[in-house]
Amino acid sequence: MIPGDTDAFVGWGNNNATRAVHRRPRNTKEIAALLEGSSMCIARGLGRAYGDAAQCAGGTVIDCTGLSEILAFDGSSGVVRVEAGCSLDQLSRYSVSRGWFVPVTPGTAFVTIGGAVAADVHGKNHHREGSIAGYIEELCLVTPDGPRIVGPDRDPELFWATCGGMGLTGVITEVALRLMPIATSYLSVDTDRARDLDACMEMLASGDERYRYSVAWIDAGTRGRALGRAVITRGDHARVEALAGTQRSIPLTYNPVQRLSVPFTPPVSMVNALTLPVFNSLWYHRAPKHRTDEIQTMSAFFYPLDMLRDWNRLYGPRGFTQYQMVVPFGQEHVVRYTIERLQEASCPSTLGVLKRFGAGDPAPLSFPMPGWTLALDIPLGSPSLAVALDDCDRHVAGAGGRVYLAKDGRMRPELMREMYPRIDQFLETCHRTDPDGLFVSDLSRRIGLTPTTPTQRKGMKP
Amino acid sequence: MNDVTGMPQTAVVIGGGSDIALATLRLLAKRRLRAVVLLGRSAEALNEAAEQLRGAGVEEVTTEIFDVNDFSHASEVAEETVARLGTVDLVLVAAGFLGDASLEVIDPESVAHMIATNFTGPAAAMTAFSQRLLRQGFGRIVVLSSVAGVRVRRSNFVYGSAKAGLDGFAQGLDDALVKTGLSVMIVRPGFVHSKMTLGLKAAPMSTTPEAVAGAIVKGLESGASVVWAPSSLMWVFGILVHLPRRLWRLVPG
Ligand SMILES: Cc1cc2nc3c(=O)[nH]c(=O)nc-3n(C[C@H](O)[C@H](O)[C@H](O)COP(=O)(O)OP(=O)(O)OC[C@H]3O[C@@H](n4cnc5c(N)ncnc54)[C@H](O)[C@@H]3O)c2cc1C
């Protein structure tokens, strides 16, 4: 056994467990000391990456949830200085009542700030407001020769490599993030039903600019004419005047409770070819054809899945994966191909998410680019899935698109360079700050970002 | 590293000349497999297998003479192999040999040898590799058992009993490895047409190395702990194990 306290780690997809020494430092100094004593390690937040990004088999996993303080908040500029292990949930509980909200949020509040930066996360507002890197003033990064402060104006190369860099540039310990002012903690939401994929894309393309937040939940299981039918929800933070009753008297509140949980992993996946069509159909027909200005809470709008704790257990012991890709505008056919290819392989998928991205950022490993992004949750275990996803990869790369590393557990390593053409720039930056290749994850080894053998690592060149 | 669909990038074969192992690696080469170490007794068989794997697109193939009966070297070989590959995603234990088992031809030495090659040797090698893999924190061990070990038959009871031992060992090892990141998958093929069975009379529901390889890959994808090849043998043997001995010993061949 590896010496020290080891644990088996998995991603949100609940599979491919690997064992590593588990350390939970409390401050930057402890992290620096840890780096000194390890031969390979990776930072971990709340483990919401679906695959193996926050795992380091045979090495050390640096659990950052022990650094979770909100250090300072400037109520006039909205800049908050937080430790990297602070979750978005914790931050919102602090900031929303003061009239501020994170400028970019993923579909769950249970991610850490460090994890959000390391994946350069995007939200439903990406088409207008980009990903989270754009709102960072500066951050503290611990590298093998100690802590450094980096930002868009301070060692920008290392800053941008860290945003979206999946922990491979070092351990983020503090982030200064510009929050966004909000008048209420409610959203005013418009809902529309689209009868098929073309209609859905058309509605998104023509209407998105009117909304701060926009997303389409698509039924990826239905074949034929209704393929890709969707429920589109779009909205913005509600104004106080739009509220009534108690909501109006207390317009800023954030205190969601998780009433339900999945207490154990069932022996087989509850998400399967029998349950999915029923669920997808119920969900589609329950949605209104067209509804405007519905008032929703932030948690209902941004984090609907968070209401059911440990919902990933529903996928049974084999777990699941998410395939999230983006293809440039003009390559819509790849979105259709992906849905059809998975249907052909009889791989059921729950509700998919389809959304339009706006401009990308200078981060070399950042996922978003202008175009269409599709995300599908798929149970593992089907023998036709791996090949089907490989086919999808080829089409996505061929169209100039890419898959999202924070969701990935299986991409074709040889396509990495095609999908992320700025990879050499990224590797050069890593090499500069971490010449011995200390930062290694299961993901980085699997997709060939870092070599697997220690001897190779020593002499690693980009 | 293994991916979420269970596909390995690096593999070690113990018994690298095995037809089933070779067929399995060829299938895996179409997916993610890029580096292989073949361990076995016969340089000739290893080189031939290595050639075929290179042809199938595996970038890095190395061979190394290793006899599973050479217990004292097992740990050293495991150490060297892991060092060479960096990380070992899959260990395929395919060593074994099917000898003649009629009471007239066996002798104490041949029995001991057959059991060593089919059980003690592979078990020792699995021990060496699982201990080494515990340090890397993950890995999948696939072991070729046989239906012959599920219920031992008169006609090949030496081989069958050795496989029964190996099968039990593998189950116990898998249980011992829970939560370590390592796991064992047991493969129980029926009669396989291969080098090993050349010239023998085929049993009913016989299969081919390619078909067994297909079942193994499917097992890796589904995360199975036991794979039968063909899969229908699971039901057949589910019944056969309950057959009274008086009847079972009448089963010919
Ligand atoms: C239900 C659900 C919905 C999601 N929706 C979205 C979405 O809409 N948009 C989106 O972009 N993503 C989305 N995600 C993905 C998620 O936002 C990212 O995977 C995020 O990185 C998870 O953060 P974490 O704290 O759980 O990090 P982990 O999963 O623990 O780690 C993820 C990566 O971040 C690195 N990391 C973590 N902490 C640090 C640190 N302190 N310093 C350096 N590196 C670090 C790790 O090394 C790893 O590479 C979703 C995930 C789930 C489960």
Side-chain angles (χ1 to χ4, degrees), chain A residues 12 42-50 53-54 64 84-85 105-108 110-116 118-123 141 166-167 170-173 305-306 311 324 404 406-407 443:
Chain A
W12 187 243
I42 197 74
R44 183 178 177 92
L46 281 166
R48 256 45 177 204
Y50 277 65
C64 295
T105 178
T108 169
F110 298 107
V111 301
T112 62
I113 299 285
D120 192 13
V121 296
H122 58 269
L141 181 74
M166 304 308 287
V171 182
I172 304 165
T173 53
L305 290 166
D306 283 354
W311 60 263
Q324 182 170 7
Y404 190 10
K407 308 289 178 71
L443 169 85

Side-chain angles (χ1 to χ4, degrees), chain B residues 42-62:
Chain B
S42 146
E44 200 188 331
L46 292 182
N47 289 337
E48 196 181 307
E51 223 28 71
Q52 288 205 38
L53 288 177
R54 288 189 194 103
V58 181
E59 288 161 33
E60 223 181 287
V61 187
T62 31

Side-chain angles (χ1 to χ4, degrees), chain A residues 228-250:
Chain A
R229 65 183 179 181
V231 177
I232 299 173
T233 55
R234 294 184 283 200
D236 202 340
H237 298 279
R239 290 167 301 118
V240 182
E241 304 81 69
L243 304 181
T246 42
Q247 292 182 344
R248 189 158 186 162
S249 49
I250 314 169

